[in-house]
Amino acid sequence: MLREARKLMVGRWIQTMNDVVWGIPLVVLLLGTHIFFTIRTGFIQKKIGKAVSLLRKNEDGRIGTMRPREVFSAVAASMLGTGNITGLGAAIVMGGPGALFWFWMTGIFGMATKYAETVLAVKFRVKDQDGTIKGGPMYVMERGLNKKWMGKWYAAVGAVAALAIGGAIQICSVANVADVDIRMALVGTNNFFTEIVEQYPWITKAIIGVLAALVTAIVILGGLKSIAAICNTAFPFILTVYTVGSVLILIANHGWIGQACSLILKCAFGSTRAVAGGIAGAGISKAVRCGTMRGMFSNEAGIGISGIVEANTKSSNPACQGIISLLGTFIDTVVMGMLTGLVMVTGILKNGISISGVSETEIVINLFKRCTSLERFLFVTGIIVFAYLTILGWSYYGEQCAEYLFGKKSREIYQMIWLIVLITAPVCEIQLVREVADCLNGLLAIPNLITLILLAPVVISETKEYRCHPDQKKNKIFEEQEKEKNHSIYI
């Protein structure tokens, strides 16, 4: 009884912290930054076609360690995550169907913020004494703003946040969905495994955690190159499978698409009377808050963490890599997020599933129970693969944040902590883990968004110079490092 009371108290405290962090100021700051960079870059989102051509060009320069296509795959794969499935379920539960509209808006306008983050990450990247490329928001804060204390704060939050955002919540989502799938498969059977599962309800989740830790360890111990190789192979495959599967499901549910779109739009602007199939709006404030929160969790536009990998590009032009990076946000939120959202809402309407008083996991479970085999395959495969790729990418983000604070010797220790989190997190309450992840996500966004606004003139200058000389602009920091003999220029 005392243990449950403590658990409840901790849950309320974390929820209160999350409500404070994700209050109106942060929502306004995030959306305001998206709109600000959209206007100041001349609606950089229209460069989607250019991004595709730059990926095909696949520049092989002498500065970075990875080709732009490899960087794009690694970053885009890390974005996918379970936020595109269970996260959207959470958005619908907390903010109503209208939250999906604001989720998509953060993707459309967030592309400009993602571009700005990448431009700064590449411009202010540095080369270590052994030739390793280092970059990300902490280096932008240190070298762009001359605020090393700010970089340390970001790195400290980033190292902890990675464990929750890229590790715990991903494996929790996988464990919950896989546990449901296993239990559904065991219904009506009577064998030794069924008895074990009934006697020890946590056993399947624990096994999933151990397996995830093993397959993750094999890859992350090989470093960024190993992570990028897996992402390069898996990302195009899962993207194709998930997109085709979603389109086929929407074709089957075509009779509900119009009603779903109408419901989403009505609820997005505060209509609590927009009721259909047991679904009602939650009010505009909740819709905006939940949509933007889930959107940033999904596409990472606003937290800047992907700049850690973006800085490794061989592209010598910050604006070029920035244009490529906005394509990842477009695919993650605008395309895949829209497909998933429509699949969920049409499925809920079609099957008459109520979202009142349920959790994100229960929505997925209810969909599982009533959906077709194709839909179940799509959700299960998507959650598992998305989560695994995110776990790989975020492990590197967190590792680099720890290295920024404590040096290279901390990498092995952080990797061990990462694997321990993967083993233990599946048996934790997913809602509590998500609250912690959301809170840390917001704490990462605040210093990053402030940095972006302060360094906006640099982003605009790089953008203008690129438009005037798209093939001539080089990364000046590296040119200076090549000429300078004093080792003090290195980290």
Side-chain angles (χ1 to χ4, degrees), residues 282-302:
I284 189 168
S285 60
K286 282 189 176 180
V288 174
R289 179 179 179 270
C290 295
T292 54
M293 182 165 56
R294 295 268 66 81
M296 191 175 75
F297 191 97
S298 173
N299 58 46
E300 300 165 13

Side-chain angles (χ1 to χ4, degrees), residues 9 66 87 139 152 157 163 177 214 250 278 296 300 352 421 444 448 453:
M9 184 176 68
M66 296 166 59
Y139 293 96
K152 287 187 175 182
V157 177
L163 295 171
V177 171
L214 288 174
L250 288 175
M296 191 175 75
E300 300 165 13
V421 167
L444 270 181
N448 182 64
I453 295 298

Side-chain angles (χ1 to χ4, degrees), residues 66-79:
M66 296 166 59
R67 292 185 176 184
R69 187 182 300 167
E70 295 172 323
V71 172
F72 169 77
S73 295
V75 171
S78 300
M79 277 187 217

